[in-house]
Amino acid sequence: MAEADPFNVVNVHEAKTNFSKLLDRAHAGEEIILAKAGVPYARLVPYVAPKPVQRKPGGLKLIGPIPDSVWFDPLSEEELALFEGRRGSDSV
């Protein structure tokens, strides 16, 4: 592991005390290393929003048509219990 810049290493106690200031520094582009007992544990870095993914319609490839029963038949007791957050048909 590469040596961290000692000016950017902040101990957990100090980070909790000055969290808002550390966020401002990170937002300004600075990378801050959070340490526990002097051992680096995490990095506080500026957030970079991911580029939006261009979606292309028609990506789902089916072997054949979906039968209407998938959409219109009632659920079994077990499926209904799972849908409602119950463990199984024994809790009905």
Side-chain angles (χ1 to χ4, degrees):
M1 184 165 121
E3 248 339 277
D5 181 3
F7 295 110
N8 288 342
V9 176
V10 178
N11 226 355
V12 172
H13 178 72
E14 183 184 346
K16 290 193 299 186
T17 304
N18 299 306
F19 189 66
S20 196
K21 292 176 185 175
L22 291 174
L23 281 179
D24 290 338
R25 285 172 51 188
H27 182 70
E30 192 174 341
E31 181 179 308
I32 297 143
I33 307 295
L34 301 177
K36 191 172 186 179
V39 178
Y41 262 59
R43 290 184 311 145
L44 187 60
V45 296
Y47 175 74
V48 178
K51 292 181 181 179
V53 176
Q54 186 66 30
R55 295 183 66 186
K56 180 181 174 187
L60 177 63
K61 304 296 181 207
L62 297 174
I63 295 173
I66 300 173
D68 286 343
S69 63
V70 170
W71 309 112
F72 301 113
D73 286 357
L75 296 174
S76 69
E77 285 299 318
E78 184 179 355
E79 290 172 324
L80 184 60
L82 290 171
F83 182 77
E84 293 176 343
R86 294 180 275 138
R87 292 287 176 202
S89 58
D90 56 9
S91 61
V92 175

